[in-house]
Amino acid sequence: MNLKLANPLWVPVRDLLCRTTTTRRSLFTATGINSVAEKKYGDEVLVVVGGGAAGVYGAIRAKTLSPELRVLVIEKGRFLSKVKISGGGRCNVTNGHCTDTIRLAENYPRGNKELKGSFFYTHGPADTMSWFSERGVPLKTEDDGRVFPVSDNSASVVDCLLHEATIRGVRLERGKSVLSASTQPDGKFVVKVGKRTAEVSESIEASYLLIATGSSQQGHSLATQFGHSIVDPVPSLFTFKINDPLLVALAGISFSKVQAKLKLENPRPDMSKLVQVGPMLVTHWGLSGPVILRLSAWGARHLFTSEYKGLLIVDFIPDINIETAKSLLKQHKLQFSKHKVSNTFPPQFGLVNRFWRYILDREGSSKDTLWASLSNISLSSISDLLKHCTFQVTGKGQYKDEFVTAGGVPLSEISLKTMESKLVPNLFFAGEVLNVDGVTGGFNFQNAWSGGYIAGTHIGKLASNRSSTERKVIGL
């Protein structure tokens, strides 16, 4: 049967097909296929595997630079599904506080050294923000640097990308997978497309192949078919489970600034980043918030090998040293000697009453104790708890706003200036399929936009140059 083509600018998919490899009826019509001897000018084809941020952005860029290039994006699920659900349905597009490329790269636990080069200089957060703003998606930058559409609705971003792909003539094909891919003697790719649950499949001949499958096994499998290695994927960006009934009873309490340090068994030299400063949130299962998520990202592999167990040490008053904390407590004792210790505490600590009572429980002081009855030993113990409060991490929770993994194709196997494979010409990678992951705050999407843009730019230029050359040869 023939595919119904929603985009009139798109050249029929049947013209991209090679000889069918199935024994049953085809997903695409095989008639009208040009043989190698019949190839005409303008038959350059880009197949993009994966309809996420990197894949769609890269497809649009390639088609923009080379309008005659046929671009097909194949997605087994829904296009831009991760974009739609990220940021609680608002889509954290990028981060607006990191305009310096060196500083920006430091937000990537995997990739922080390699990305300090031309990667973000070619297409950084400011470029991303301009791209969407110029296409009718006004953006706003929040206090913490996260950038969202003014609509606070990820549909604004999704609709913009899909509309741009449509008007450019990018063909979007959903509900199918790339089952395998290989190179031919002439350097072109044969891409086998179908449904894993069905016996039918088709093979498409492509001039360029962009793998942008995120962290799915599909992309890793395709990469290994071309000789690439894979760094085993492990979860990144997750919350910590804490086995402390007194703590989880405080679910919903947040802290604007804490310093958290993660200690694991078998420490390694590269664990300096396991100390982070930022906001923290108490959840029904433990602890979350930016400071915890950053620790989970930087410690992703260490936590995986330690089975997500470790010791978390939290300083709840990082801007107050321990001697000052003791002095403030002593002053408070003198001023409020006849008050219950559970009802009042130094306002400089910036705590909520419920958490103060938790600290008293941890220290062993009765809620009915008067300030006048607190010993200096108790005051020192409370100060120690506020500065060095320990929690036993017993596992990892979920962070629903971002789904990120560490691992994938090593950056040493591609050129970050073009996103092209160093092993196979005209094979490209972008996004989370690579061993790159960022901390929370819009950095993972920026990796996708930058990688997709660079790959699309190089593919578009290659296709455009070849088309120009062919025109000259045939006298057009």
Side-chain angles (χ1 to χ4, degrees):
M1 63 178 179
N2 289 325
L3 287 174
K4 294 181 179 179
L5 304 178
N7 192 332
L9 299 177
W10 174 247
V11 178
V13 173
R14 66 169 180 257
D15 289 345
L16 308 183
L17 301 177
C18 301
R19 183 177 301 169
T20 178
T21 58
T22 59
T23 56
R24 298 178 61 184
R25 67 182 181 86
S26 301
L27 288 173
F28 307 102
T29 301
T31 58
I33 301 174
N34 294 330
S35 68
V36 175
E38 296 170 336
K39 292 294 181 183
K40 300 177 181 178
Y41 135 77
D43 63 356
E44 295 272 281
V45 177
L46 163 63
V47 171
V48 180
V49 189
V56 173
Y57 206 67
I60 292 170
R61 178 60 178 167
K63 187 69 172 173
T64 300
L65 293 185
S66 182
E68 292 162 342
L69 174 68
R70 308 181 198 180
V71 182
L72 172 64
V73 184
I74 300 172
E75 169 58 47
K76 62 182 178 181
R78 292 184 177 275
F79 282 97
L80 303 166
S81 59
K82 205 168 181 179
V83 176
K84 184 175 179 60
I85 64 175
S86 72
R90 293 199 297 155
C91 184
N92 184 183
V93 177
T94 185
N95 192 286
H97 283 182
C98 290
T99 54
D100 179 76
T101 58
I102 302 297
R103 183 184 168 201
L104 178 58
E106 291 173 353
N107 290 279
Y108 294 84
R110 266 63 54 182
N112 60 91
K113 294 179 181 178
E114 297 89 341
L115 300 182
K116 289 180 179 178
S118 62
F119 187 75
F120 290 125
Y121 182 81
T122 302
H123 192 79
D127 302 304
T128 298
M129 294 173 70
S130 296
W131 193 93
F132 283 103
S133 297
E134 290 167 1
R135 288 161 178 79
V137 183
L139 302 171
K140 60 180 179 179
T141 303
E142 300 194 341
D143 292 342
D144 59 2
R146 294 182 300 164
V147 176
F148 294 94
V150 171
S151 66
D152 279 327
N153 191 335
S154 60
S156 300
V157 178
V158 172
D159 292 346
C160 171
L161 288 164
L162 294 181
H163 175 71
E164 188 71 14
T166 300
I167 64 173
R168 293 291 176 185
V170 174
R171 171 64 172 164
L172 304 175
E173 187 65 31
R174 185 167 75 90
K176 298 181 179 67
S177 296
V178 172
L179 306 177
S180 64
S182 59
T183 54
Q184 299 182 115
D186 62 359
K188 292 198 174 183
F189 300 95
V190 176
V191 183
K192 187 178 179 182
V193 181
K195 295 184 178 180
R196 294 186 183 278
T197 56
E199 296 181 24
V200 293
S201 65
E202 286 292 347
S203 291
I204 300 174
E205 186 180 85
S207 315
Y208 313 95
L209 183 62
L210 170 57
I211 299 176
T213 52
S215 59
S216 77
Q217 182 60 39
Q218 178 191 20
H220 296 166
S221 175
L222 290 173
T224 58
Q225 291 174 31
F226 290 108
H228 281 279
S229 57
I230 298 294
V231 178
D232 290 338
V234 299
S236 183
L237 289 187
F238 48 83
T239 61
F240 290 170
K241 289 184 178 180
I242 308 291
N243 186 16
D244 183 345
L246 293 176
L247 178 69
V248 297
L250 304 179
I253 288 179
S254 61
F255 304 87
S256 60
K257 184 180 181 182
V258 303
Q259 177 180 285
K261 179 179 181 179
L262 184 61
K263 295 186 70 174
L264 304 172
E265 293 183 5
N266 305 317
R268 300 178 184 179
D270 60 341
M271 298 178 73
S272 61
K273 290 288 189 178
L274 296 189
V275 179
Q276 295 289 326
V277 176
M280 189 175 75
L281 172 70
V282 181
T283 69
H284 290 290
W285 59 86
L287 295 170
S288 183
V291 72
I292 299 299
L293 295 169
R294 286 199 291 268
L295 283 175
S296 75
W298 285 103
R301 294 209 167 274
H302 304 306
L303 284 161
F304 177 78
T305 56
S306 66
E307 298 181 333
Y308 301 101
K309 292 177 174 58
L311 186 68
L312 185 69
I313 305 169
V314 180
D315 181 351
F316 287 97
I317 48 173
D319 295 328
I320 301 175
N321 64 47
I322 193 163
E323 293 304 321
T324 301
K326 290 178 183 178
S327 177
L328 288 170
L329 287 170
K330 289 177 180 178
Q331 292 173 24
H332 202 81
K333 175 181 176 178
L334 292 173
Q335 187 176 357
F336 297 91
S337 58
K338 295 182 179 180
H339 289 70
K340 289 183 179 181
V341 70
S342 60
N343 291 339
T344 180
F345 54 88
Q348 294 91 333
F349 291 165
L351 306 174
V352 297
N353 192 262
R354 288 169 63 200
F355 182 72
W356 171 250
R357 293 179 180 179
Y358 169 82
I359 291 294
L360 295 178
D361 285 335
R362 287 275 301 254
E363 193 275 329
S365 296
S366 170
K367 294 181 176 64
D368 295 324
T369 301
L370 298 180
W371 271 98
S373 301
L374 276 184
S375 66
N376 286 336
I377 293 177
S378 291
L379 294 179
S380 293
S381 179
I382 291 171
S383 299
D384 287 338
L385 274 172
L386 289 172
K387 294 295 291 181
H388 308 284
C389 197
T390 60
F391 301 94
Q392 196 67 44
V393 179
T394 59
K396 68 178 181 68
Q398 289 186 341
Y399 180 55
K400 296 181 180 180
D401 281 1
E402 291 188 55
F403 304 88
V404 180
T405 59
V409 177
L411 293 182
S412 59
E413 296 180 6
I414 70 161
S415 167
L416 286 172
K417 292 183 178 180
T418 62
M419 307 308 292
E420 187 174 14
S421 164
K422 292 180 180 179
L423 308 182
V424 180
N426 298 327
L427 171 64
F428 297 81
F429 296 92
E432 203 181 337
V433 69
L434 297 166
N435 185 29
V436 177
D437 62 288
V439 299
T440 185
F443 299 103
N444 286 293
F445 272 137
Q446 187 55 54
N447 169 48
W449 310 131
S450 296
Y453 183 92
I454 294 170
T457 296
H458 194 61
I459 294 168
K461 287 181 177 179
L462 285 174
S464 181
N465 290 340
R466 288 178 183 175
S467 293
S468 298
T469 301
E470 290 183 12
R471 279 179 173 177
K472 292 178 181 178
V473 169
I474 63 178
L476 290 181

